[in-house]
Amino acid sequence: MALIGQLELAGYFLIVWDIVRFCRREGILVQGRGPAANSVVCYALGLTAIDPVGMELLFERFLSANVVMAGH
């Protein structure tokens, strides 16, 4: 969570959560794409059914302070 705060990505995850919630409510099929789609944050928010801890996936695969983000 500290890294998400440091990279100022909390708003991004909340926007994605809101979009997914809308799509599910309206019966629109929605699926995550890219490496963040199976992150523990997306799992905790209910955006994905993939449990990255149970699957032993590395957090660094999804989000790293060393990755340069567009706009940062």
Side-chain angles (χ1 to χ4, degrees), residues 2-72:
L3 182 56
I4 290 171
Q6 176 187 346
L7 296 176
E8 300 176 358
L9 292 174
Y12 165 79
F13 282 103
L14 291 176
I15 290 169
V16 171
W17 173 82
D18 195 40
I19 292 168
V20 169
R21 186 175 60 123
F22 170 81
C23 290
R24 288 179 178 159
R25 184 180 69 230
E26 299 298 318
I28 301 168
L29 296 176
V30 63
Q31 129 183 354
R33 305 256 325 164
N38 294 325
S39 70
V40 72
V41 174
C42 289
Y43 180 71
L45 289 172
L47 302 176
T48 182
I50 302 298
D51 176 2
V53 175
M55 301 285 291
E56 299 182 15
L57 301 175
L58 298 174
F59 179 73
E60 291 80 9
R61 176 176 174 227
F62 307 111
L63 188 60
S64 171
N66 296 326
V67 175
V68 176
M69 304 286 295
H72 282 84

